[in-house]
Amino acid sequence: MRALTPLELPRPVLDAAAGQSPLTQWWVPAVAVVVALILTAVVVRRWLLHHGAPWRRVPEVALAMLAWAVAAALGVNSWYSIVPDLSALQREVESGLGLPVSYRTADGAHVKEHLLPASSTLGMPESSVWVYTPPGYDPAGGVRYPVVYLIHGDPGTSTNWFTVGRADQVVDAMIRAHVIPKVIVVSPDVNGGGVHDRECLNSRNGGPQIESWLYDELVPWVDTSFRTQADAQHRILGGMSSGGYCALDQGLRHLDVWGGIVALEAYGDPGLGAATTMGYHLADFERVSPTHYIARMEFPRKVPIFLDVGQLSDPNRVEALVTALRARGQDPTFQVEAGQGHTWQMARVGMPYGLDDVAAGLGWR
């Protein structure tokens, strides 16, 4: 098992992935805690020194409680890096309110949130899909581009890879540094309505058919709406946490669609809770669990696979998947991010290494 990050990337790419801002620094919640302590002390002192109707203290108590709530929220955000900066917060809010999100990056790439129509046959509601087209992209031009699909975790939505995940800034930096060619990046919502842990799978009890939607609706829509290189050799499927499981499972079971896999903080099965909710029995569960089926797989080719996990997470879980893949003649890259846990910070750090590694394995550069 690799204990440290062995691959190398240019400094601008690492800086874009790090995504440090005041909202993710440890001292911000620390200051908020100090403010909350001061307010609490003032409220207690006034309560002890000034007798009278208790209702007069209600606004002061409410203010102190609000200060503690803000400190707690900032602490969670500092650890998990849920909202890395104010622009990410703005886009999360706009998307949540149903406002159209469309913007240009500093390098001239275009990011836009699209809405795919509902599919009654697949039980899928209208679905949000964020798409990044690279600098210089011309919808009427002759150039076609490889495509990177990124799947969010649970809980999560299609916005995550372009807000907390900073995919736009990271991919901009990778293109600028000639680490990868110009690519299209697609981030779909795979919840099937609301925020549900459905693991990119088809429900067996009347729920949404998310796996079928990926191949019957999403990929064809991307290939007809954008200038893509529409074959497996030019598609990478990536994701983090439950999205990492989705990338690994879908990538392995649909090798005719996906050329390579970037699985960050991946699991080897969909989890008994999610499987039970969707009506899966034991045989169904094993059929969609890489932990179970890799040992029986016959691979038609070498598949570029990148598996990454935080050192503070569960490296042994991911190493078991690596061992199983190697036993079947595959040669996945396995990386452990030093000092990282199961967070979006880890996903931001690991994603450019994965794109670099798998793109090279597919001959994109």
Side-chain angles (χ1 to χ4, degrees):
M1 183 177 71
R2 300 175 182 173
L4 298 174
T5 304
L7 304 179
E8 294 185 0
L9 288 171
R11 173 50 58 183
V13 175
L14 297 177
D15 290 342
Q20 294 298 318
S21 80
L23 288 180
T24 59
Q25 299 298 308
W26 66 267
W27 57 265
V28 173
V31 170
V33 167
V34 171
V35 171
L37 284 170
I38 292 172
L39 286 174
T40 302
V42 169
V43 170
V44 171
R45 183 176 183 277
R46 287 170 64 87
W47 191 290
L48 294 175
L49 294 180
H50 302 282
H51 301 288
W55 60 266
R56 294 181 178 177
R57 306 275 84 84
V58 170
E60 299 170 359
V61 172
L63 181 61
M65 292 177 65
L66 176 61
W68 281 112
V70 170
L74 290 171
V76 170
N77 189 67
S78 176
W79 176 253
Y80 290 103
S81 195
I82 299 168
V83 181
D85 52 47
L86 292 178
S87 64
L89 177 61
Q90 176 186 348
R91 288 164 193 156
E92 288 277 7
V93 171
E94 289 175 347
S95 179
L97 294 175
L99 301 176
V101 179
S102 178
Y103 63 92
R104 291 275 179 185
T105 68
D107 286 13
H110 184 218
V111 179
K112 182 177 180 179
E113 182 180 17
H114 300 261
L115 294 176
L116 267 65
S119 172
S120 58
T121 57
L122 298 176
M124 289 290 290
E126 183 179 63
S127 300
S128 164
V129 181
W130 287 52
V131 180
Y132 165 106
T133 50
Y137 176 84
D138 181 358
V143 179
R144 293 191 174 272
Y145 302 87
V147 187
V148 176
Y149 289 75
L150 296 175
I151 308 298
H152 59 78
D154 176 67
T157 67
S158 57
T159 66
N160 295 158
W161 273 108
F162 286 98
T163 53
V164 59
R166 298 172 66 94
D168 48 358
Q169 298 177 53
V170 172
V171 172
D172 268 0
M174 295 183 78
I175 292 172
R176 193 186 321 124
H178 305 289
V179 174
I180 59 172
K182 292 183 177 181
V183 298
I184 294 170
V185 182
V186 178
S187 176
D189 188 312
V190 294
N191 289 309
V195 180
H196 299 285
D197 184 15
R198 294 192 170 114
E199 305 286 329
C200 296
L201 298 172
N202 287 341
S203 171
R204 292 187 175 275
N205 56 10
Q209 307 297 292
I210 299 173
E211 182 172 349
S212 296
W213 177 82
L214 289 173
Y215 305 103
D216 296 348
E217 301 281 348
L218 178 65
V219 172
W221 174 78
V222 171
D223 287 338
T224 56
S225 301
F226 302 93
R227 301 199 61 79
T228 68
Q229 292 178 281
D231 55 52
Q233 188 72 15
H234 295 94
R235 293 192 195 104
I236 291 174
L237 181 60
M240 72 88 63
S241 190
S242 63
Y245 156 78
C246 177
L248 183 63
D249 175 53
Q250 296 296 323
L252 291 177
R253 291 196 292 111
H254 296 273
L255 291 171
D256 58 324
V257 177
W258 311 111
I261 299 166
V262 177
L264 310 173
E265 291 286 337
Y267 296 95
D269 61 62
L272 289 174
T276 302
T277 299
M278 293 186 294
Y280 279 53
H281 299 295
L282 180 60
D284 303 319
F285 180 82
E286 293 184 350
R287 181 183 59 81
V288 296
S289 298
T291 298
H292 292 277
Y293 66 67
I294 287 176
R296 303 189 300 271
M297 282 192 69
E298 295 295 335
F299 287 86
R301 58 182 170 88
K302 287 280 189 181
V303 182
I305 302 173
F306 180 87
L307 288 158
D308 200 1
V309 64
Q311 187 180 28
L312 305 179
S313 184
D314 187 4
N316 292 333
R317 178 192 76 235
V318 180
E319 188 173 23
L321 295 167
V322 172
T323 300
L325 287 165
R326 287 175 178 164
R328 303 305 296 168
Q330 296 298 305
D331 187 24
T333 299
F334 177 38
Q335 189 155 289
V336 179
E337 302 297 344
Q340 295 292 338
H342 193 92
T343 67
W344 270 103
Q345 173 69 21
M346 180 273 155
R348 287 202 304 270
V349 169
M351 190 259 286
Y353 288 106
L355 292 185
D356 177 26
D357 184 68
V358 174
L362 291 172
W364 288 10
R365 55 178 176 80

